[in-house]
């Protein structure tokens, strides 16, 4: 599902070029759950952005869901994300002027899907928020907002789920419930999951863990049978 070969990403800054990714090579199988750990600033979020086509690598080959991302223009990358990728961020990124159902339906509305509201309602049911569909983000708790964000990511039936510290803004109990939901949906739908986390217990629920430090993968661990997704 994901194949990165010697991927580099260099960004310009006032102080000169900054090398963010320094030769990342990674393969992720369909249906696999991979935990991505490492210190802050190591390149974890940038790696997910490259996989999602939100950042263009400076060099290297990136094949995701069968598509060579280097061959796609910005419109092509947008279509790639629409059809293949669901993203859950730490900060929810819900649109404050839309209610929960409208937030979830938005990706399908943009794709011109006539069944957008029906599918959004089904995803709200799946995350246990059927009774909150008309509430706006400011009227929802942090955990509820993250459930809406998860429903929005799932509504497009993505092949790949990217979760960047999905529990970072939540208390312990709420975070655990979100994690349980993420892994349950991953297992039920057979999506490929890449999960950034600073929590070793959360990373250990994945099939495999990779550690990123200073823009490089260190000591990759082989796949094992463990966690809900196994």
């Amino acid at each position: 599902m994901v194949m990165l070969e010697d991927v580099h990403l260099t960004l310009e800054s006032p102080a000169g070029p900054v090398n963010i990714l320094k030769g990342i090579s990674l393969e992720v199988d369909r249906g696999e759950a991979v935990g991505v750990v490492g210190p802050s600033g190591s390149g974890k979020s940038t790696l997910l952005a490259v996989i999602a086509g939100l950042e263009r690598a400076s060099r290297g080959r990136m094949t995701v869901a069968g598509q060579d991302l280097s061959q796609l223009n910005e419109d092509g990358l947008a279509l790639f994300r629409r059809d293949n990728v669901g993203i859950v961020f730490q900060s929810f990124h819900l649109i404050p002027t839309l209610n929960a159902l409208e937030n979830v339906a938005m990706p399908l509305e943009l794709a011109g899907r006539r069944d957008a509201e029906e599918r959004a309602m089904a995803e709200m049911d799946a995350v246990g928020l059927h009774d909150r569909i008309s509430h706006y983000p400011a009227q929802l708790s942090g955990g509820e907002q993250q459930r809406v964000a998860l429903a929005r990511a799932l509504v497009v039936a993505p092949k790949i789920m990217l979760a960047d510290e999905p529990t970072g803004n939540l208390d312990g109990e709420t975070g655990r419930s979100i994690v349980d939901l993420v892994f349950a949906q991953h297992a039920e739908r057979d999506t490929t999951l890449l999960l950034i986390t600073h929590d070793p217990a959360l990373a250990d629920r994945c099939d495999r863990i990779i550690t990123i430090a200073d823009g490089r993968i260190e000591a990759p661990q082989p796949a094992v049978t463990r966690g809900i997704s196994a």
Side-chain angles (χ1 to χ4, degrees):
M1 187 59 69
V2 177
M3 180 177 290
L4 307 182
E5 300 175 72
D6 194 29
V7 170
H8 294 251
L9 177 63
T10 300
L11 299 177
E12 294 297 329
S13 77
V18 178
N19 299 317
I20 308 298
L21 301 181
K22 306 172 183 178
I24 295 285
S25 294
L26 174 66
E27 293 186 23
V28 181
D29 292 335
R30 176 186 174 188
E32 189 177 13
V34 176
V36 183
V37 302
S40 297
S42 60
K44 303 185 300 298
S45 294
T46 302
L47 174 62
L48 261 61
V50 166
I51 293 172
L54 292 168
E55 287 279 4
R56 284 191 179 273
S58 305
R59 60 186 173 95
R61 186 175 180 185
M62 300 150 291
T63 304
V64 183
Q67 297 194 49
D68 184 348
L69 300 191
S70 65
Q71 301 301 309
L72 300 178
N73 59 22
E74 290 304 319
D75 288 341
L77 288 171
L79 291 174
F80 159 77
R81 285 191 294 273
R82 185 195 72 183
D83 296 337
N84 296 283
V85 182
I87 308 176
V88 180
F89 299 96
Q90 177 177 340
S91 299
F92 318 140
H93 291 303
L94 301 178
I95 298 174
T97 55
L98 299 182
N99 66 32
L101 185 66
E102 291 167 340
N103 264 282
V104 175
M106 183 186 62
L108 299 181
E109 296 280 3
L110 292 174
R113 293 287 299 265
R114 295 183 178 181
D115 62 345
E117 184 173 325
E118 179 182 350
R119 289 190 57 179
M121 184 73 75
E123 295 300 345
M124 290 290 287
D125 286 342
V127 299
L129 288 179
H130 178 83
D131 61 341
R132 307 290 275 175
I133 60 173
S134 62
H135 289 67
Y136 288 85
Q139 298 172 314
L140 301 172
S141 68
E144 289 171 335
Q145 290 187 63
Q146 193 62 296
R147 285 174 181 262
V148 173
L150 178 59
R152 181 183 58 189
L154 292 169
V155 76
V156 298
K159 298 181 180 71
I160 302 169
M161 280 286 297
L162 305 177
D164 191 350
E165 293 284 1
T167 63
N169 285 336
L170 306 175
D171 63 69
E173 183 177 351
T174 302
R176 284 188 291 273
S177 70
I178 293 295
V179 167
D180 289 344
L181 186 57
V182 167
F183 277 96
Q185 295 298 319
H186 156 68
E188 179 181 328
R189 301 169 194 239
D190 195 31
T191 58
T192 301
L193 173 65
L194 280 88
L195 171 69
I196 290 178
T197 181
H198 284 97
D199 184 346
L202 176 52
D204 199 51
R205 294 182 64 169
C206 296
D207 303 313
R208 177 162 55 111
I209 300 170
I210 63 170
T211 301
I212 297 183
D214 193 28
R216 298 180 175 90
I217 293 179
E218 295 191 347
Q221 298 184 13
V224 294
T225 302
R226 64 183 176 190
I228 293 175
S229 60

